[in-house]
Amino acid sequence: MAETPMPLWEVFIRARTGLAHRHVGSVHAADAEMALQAARDTYTRRGEGLSIWVVPSAAIVASDPAEKDMLFEPTASKPYRHPTFYTVPDEVGHM
Amino acid sequence: MYTQALNQADADPVAHEDAGRLARFQARIDAEERIEPNDWMPESYRRTLIRQISQHAHSEIVGMLPEGNWITRAPSLRRKAALLAKVQDEGGHGLYLYAAAETLGVTREELVGQLLSGRAKYSSIFNYPTLTWADIGAIGWLVDGAAIMNQIPLCRTSYGPYARAMIRICKEESFHQRQGYELMLTLCRGTPAQKAMAQDALNRWWWPALMMFGPPDAESAHTAQSMRWKIKRFTNDELRQQFVDATVPQGLFLGLTFPDPELRFDEATGHWHFGAIDWEEFRRVLAGHGPCNRERLEARRRAHDDGAWVREAALAHAAKRQSRAAAEKIAAE
């Protein structure tokens, strides 16, 4: 008999540095509470985090890699969005 | 910890793939781009990775057994805590790797099923028994040491999820080798009986550790393709030589001898020359005829079967809570 698949959860952890939660991997668990416990045991055995998020993997909507160029290429031709595009005389000092 | 280059042939034929796509894929690999789960990839690249990553995961899981054998008999609380932490790490490493393999479109249940049915391979080293406490030192020093040699290049492997799992694993692995060496050093500085125990462990684990790097390059048909795809970055023989060069001086520092009469430093090459490996033994153990193959698989099957009711109960509980929450929501509306 085939086993019922255990739901998959994506795990995000906020490191001690106070940065945003970052994807670290995934776990299988029956519910959210067990997913949190599994994520703690699997991904924070050495004080890696101060906070964990678990999200059902099926809830994540991702962009299509085939559309990568259409989505991201346009910004390559917009250097005026970066500070170095603009010249400021040396006399003005740091800006 | 314990990947092994098993290099089995992939029996299933691969359907014809578009030459242009294959060329673009190889160009991405050559440019050191990482391949991610939703990217197009050749079917044989996918299969090679599923096989390699899942075998690696199985090895971590089965690798918990020989060491777990000594947890209750560790000689001090310090050693016991270290061994528990190490065995727990191996479990964690298995889970990172299963998760990486699953991104290639295979389920956890299928992967576990392949291990339990005996279809999947795992590292041959875990089919040897841990007869004395010194074996725990020898495993950390030699087996984890060999694994680290194998795994550091895998941190740069071309498949993104595998590389990221390996980075985590390598960070945690160094403690495993150091605690093993420290254990050996303590025995070697102890009574003559303790030192003899350490020597006996080295005698038994040395050759199996060298076999962990897989068959010699001349017999390893898959190495060339895996190198082209940058799944592998060094050949089996290159890694084996690196391991011998690093490990022999460590063993001499312990005051131990190696069970190889041909072992000598070659001034001309700058490498340690070692004797011929008994590949017949390697094939025998891999084919299921090692000292502990049956026991290891039986232990895994028993653990899986004994845990079945827990998985079922957890899923039933989650389903019940979900349907109750849904009913309450309807009632409230």
Side-chain angles (χ1 to χ4, degrees):
Chain A
M1 191 193 78
E3 255 193 86
T4 318
M6 197 57 83
L8 186 65
W9 305 74
E10 298 304 316
V11 181
F12 300 81
I13 289 177
R14 184 202 298 286
R16 287 190 223 191
T17 48
L19 298 174
H21 285 74
R22 187 173 164 202
H23 184 244
V24 293
S26 49
V27 292
H28 287 271
D31 60 27
E33 193 184 337
M34 293 182 79
L36 267 180
Q37 284 173 0
R40 169 203 174 264
D41 290 346
T42 310
Y43 293 103
T44 66
R45 288 193 302 281
R46 287 173 175 78
E48 288 91 337
L50 293 176
S51 161
I52 303 176
W53 289 350
V54 289
V55 180
S57 301
I60 290 184
V61 181
S63 65
D64 182 349
E67 292 176 359
K68 191 176 65 181
D69 290 347
M70 188 182 78
L71 289 172
F72 307 115
E73 177 57 29
T75 62
S77 57
K78 296 178 177 60
Y80 48 84
R81 295 191 175 190
H82 296 278
T84 47
F85 185 75
Y86 305 92
T87 45
V88 174
D90 287 347
E91 299 89 296
V92 179
H94 178 70
M95 184 178 281
Chain B
M1 83 174 174
Y2 306 119
T3 180
Q4 180 170 53
L6 298 169
N7 302 79
Q8 296 152 296
D10 198 348
D12 301 323
V14 173
H16 175 72
E17 282 172 319
D18 179 62
R21 281 189 128 174
L22 286 171
R24 280 196 297 281
F25 178 80
Q26 189 61 48
R28 290 192 61 196
I29 299 269
D30 293 342
E32 295 288 336
E33 278 184 40
R34 289 286 176 273
I35 308 303
E36 295 296 339
N38 294 328
D39 295 346
W40 183 85
M41 61 186 83
E43 192 49 32
S44 44
Y45 177 83
R46 183 187 301 276
R47 285 188 201 167
T48 301
L49 277 170
I50 290 177
R51 190 181 58 230
Q52 180 171 333
I53 301 172
S54 61
Q55 283 173 355
H56 193 165
H58 301 326
S59 301
E60 302 281 355
I61 299 299
V62 177
M64 297 166 82
L65 298 171
E67 291 180 294
N69 180 35
W70 279 92
I71 289 173
T72 56
R73 293 176 287 167
S76 69
L77 190 57
R78 179 177 185 271
R79 295 287 181 206
K80 188 176 196 157
L83 186 56
L84 262 174
K86 180 177 188 297
V87 172
Q88 194 190 8
D89 273 355
E90 311 304 359
H93 296 175
L95 297 181
Y96 307 158
L97 289 162
Y98 280 131
E102 287 169 69
T103 65
L104 291 157
V106 58
T107 66
R108 176 76 58 97
E109 287 77 14
E110 284 174 72
L111 294 172
V112 172
Q114 286 169 6
L115 172 66
L116 300 182
S117 71
R119 265 175 301 149
K121 297 267 187 278
Y122 56 87
S123 188
S124 55
I125 195 92
F126 302 115
N127 292 316
Y128 292 88
T130 42
L131 303 177
T132 72
W133 172 248
D135 288 10
I136 299 306
I139 287 181
W141 172 39
L142 300 174
V143 177
D144 288 83
I148 290 170
M149 284 289 170
N150 243 329
Q151 292 180 162
I152 287 186
L154 286 175
C155 296
R156 295 186 295 126
T157 196
S158 58
Y159 187 58
Y162 192 23
R164 291 192 285 275
M166 289 316 307
I167 290 169
R168 285 189 74 89
I169 290 174
C170 285
K171 270 190 200 165
E172 299 179 352
E173 200 77 52
S174 168
F175 128 64
H176 299 181
Q177 191 188 13
R178 288 172 65 110
Q179 67 85 33
Y181 190 74
E182 191 206 72
L183 201 164
M184 290 296 271
L185 189 62
T186 307
L187 290 173
C188 290
R189 289 178 174 168
T191 65
Q194 286 171 328
K195 187 166 180 185
M197 193 197 276
Q199 180 65 59
D200 170 62
L202 172 57
N203 292 348
R204 284 181 290 108
W205 290 94
W206 176 245
W207 291 110
L210 294 192
M211 292 176 198
M212 283 178 68
F213 295 92
D217 295 348
E219 292 171 29
S220 182
H222 277 344
T223 294
Q225 182 59 67
S226 281
M227 302 269 286
R228 259 196 305 283
W229 279 331
K230 302 198 179 183
I231 295 174
K232 276 180 86 136
R233 301 237 172 204
F234 297 98
T235 69
N236 299 352
D237 286 335
E238 283 168 349
L239 290 167
R240 187 165 15 244
Q241 185 65 56
Q242 269 182 38
F243 173 72
V244 172
D245 289 345
T247 309
V248 171
Q250 295 165 358
L252 298 178
F253 181 85
L254 293 172
L256 298 177
T257 58
F258 287 83
D260 177 0
E262 287 186 46
L263 189 71
R264 62 178 165 77
F265 189 71
D266 186 338
E267 294 285 352
T269 61
H271 293 295
W272 284 87
H273 168 82
F274 53 95
I277 294 172
D278 180 1
W279 291 112
E280 225 9 81
E281 175 181 328
F282 174 73
R283 277 184 282 271
R284 219 169 35 241
V285 175
L286 211 54
H289 307 300
C292 299
N293 295 56
R294 265 196 24 214
E295 188 186 328
R296 300 292 184 237
L297 269 188
E298 274 168 18
R300 285 314 312 154
R301 287 187 192 126
R302 200 165 51 242
H304 189 76
D305 293 346
D306 289 353
W309 72 270
V310 180
R311 294 190 295 277
E312 280 166 29
L315 284 168
H317 181 64
K320 188 176 78 181
R321 295 222 327 208
Q322 241 176 13
S323 62
R324 264 195 204 155
E328 276 167 24
K329 203 173 152 216
I330 291 166
E333 274 167 4

